[in-house]
Amino acid sequence: KPEIEKKNMKLINRILLIVFIIFSCNISFSQAKKKKYKDEIEKLNCAKNSNIRLEKRLANFPYNLTSQIKIVSYKNKEEGIIGEDLQKYLNLLVEKKDSLIENKFDEIQVLNFEQIEKLTNIIYNYGYESESNIRQATYCYMPRNAILFYNSENKIIGFIEICFECSGYRTNDNKINLGEECTQKFDLLKEFFKNCGIKYG
């Protein structure tokens, strides 16, 4: 009997040791996984990773066909989901199915040369700190702001509609974009809008 008990004790000790090793490995693996994920998230941070000159930035569409750039805020004029009004109105404007009535916008600012330089600098020269295997998801879309591009005939040829709340945007042409959507890009743009006098959104 003592021999059997001794063998049983050895077996139990072995099982406990195996369980301990597996548990320790799982903890180490979990911590390594968390660290890897954290490192990937940090790569999404914004950094000034380019130095594209203003002339080159403005050679791209829609800047090359633009005579004036305006930034705006827009509050719903009708009942419904926030931002739906703005989306419909911008769609009609670029499709030339509605005339431009600027007092529909709650705030509107014409950008001067220095402000255009700052805006395009954020769009073209700020991007991901380094290449990451993950991307951030957008969970809602209720736009209240936009960047509008006007041609020499005062017609809107393009727009970048922005939802600062969820860090999402929409354009009327896939050649128009905000560059790399690094984590703080919408914060930089929000600050830019504020500094230009656009408070809502």
Side-chain angles (χ1 to χ4, degrees):
K1 275 186 180 179
E3 292 247 344
I4 293 167
E5 281 177 13
K6 216 173 183 182
K7 278 180 184 176
N8 285 342
M9 280 303 292
K10 276 184 182 178
L11 185 63
I12 289 164
N13 284 338
R14 270 185 199 158
I15 291 166
L16 287 172
L17 182 63
I18 289 164
V19 168
F20 176 75
I21 289 166
I22 290 167
F23 183 70
S24 299
C25 286
N26 279 341
I27 289 173
S28 300
F29 180 70
S30 178
Q31 285 172 343
K33 208 172 178 182
K34 276 182 190 172
K35 187 181 182 308
K36 192 179 177 185
Y37 181 71
K38 194 182 171 189
D39 290 345
E40 289 297 317
I41 286 284
E42 282 177 7
K43 287 177 185 177
L44 297 177
N45 286 333
C46 275
K48 191 170 183 184
N49 59 10
S50 297
N51 199 22
I52 299 165
R53 289 179 304 155
L54 181 61
E55 308 86 77
K56 199 171 177 185
R57 294 178 230 156
L58 298 182
N60 296 307
F61 180 79
Y63 306 95
N64 59 338
L65 300 177
T66 297
S67 292
Q68 201 171 58
I69 299 174
K70 297 180 185 180
I71 56 173
V72 301
S73 67
Y74 188 100
K75 292 178 186 174
N76 267 27
K77 306 296 180 281
E78 295 176 17
E79 290 293 320
I81 297 166
I82 292 168
E84 267 190 355
D85 251 15
L86 176 59
Q87 293 176 68
K88 286 174 189 171
Y89 186 47
L90 290 180
N91 287 346
L92 290 172
L93 288 177
V94 294
E95 289 164 13
K96 311 291 185 287
K97 290 178 183 172
D98 199 356
S99 56
L100 178 65
I101 304 166
E102 291 198 337
N103 61 14
K104 277 195 176 185
F105 298 111
D106 293 275
E107 299 167 301
I108 187 161
Q109 292 290 337
V110 180
L111 299 188
N112 60 34
F113 186 77
E114 188 185 339
Q115 289 165 333
I116 291 169
E117 196 285 324
K118 284 178 181 172
L119 174 65
T120 55
N121 183 47
I122 293 168
I123 292 171
Y124 285 97
N125 289 327
Y126 282 81
Y128 298 115
E129 204 170 86
S130 56
E131 191 52 44
S132 175
N133 295 316
I134 60 172
R135 289 292 176 265
Q136 296 182 97
T138 299
Y139 297 105
C140 70
Y141 191 67
M142 295 186 286
R144 297 170 177 90
N145 301 91
I147 302 166
L148 309 176
F149 301 94
Y150 293 73
N151 65 11
S152 56
E153 295 170 352
N154 205 37
K155 304 278 186 194
I156 291 180
I157 57 167
F159 65 77
I160 302 175
E161 183 186 83
I162 302 172
C163 174
F164 284 117
E165 189 178 348
C166 65
S167 299
Y169 75 98
R170 179 180 77 103
T171 70
N172 64 300
D173 191 305
N174 59 17
K175 287 188 225 127
I176 307 172
N177 59 64
L178 289 175
E180 291 183 356
E181 293 172 59
C182 47
T183 303
Q184 296 83 15
K185 182 156 278 192
F186 285 89
D187 292 332
L188 293 169
L189 288 167
K190 193 174 186 178
E191 194 61 29
F192 172 79
F193 268 66
K194 277 185 185 174
N195 291 338
C196 291
I198 303 292
K199 306 299 179 191
Y200 177 72

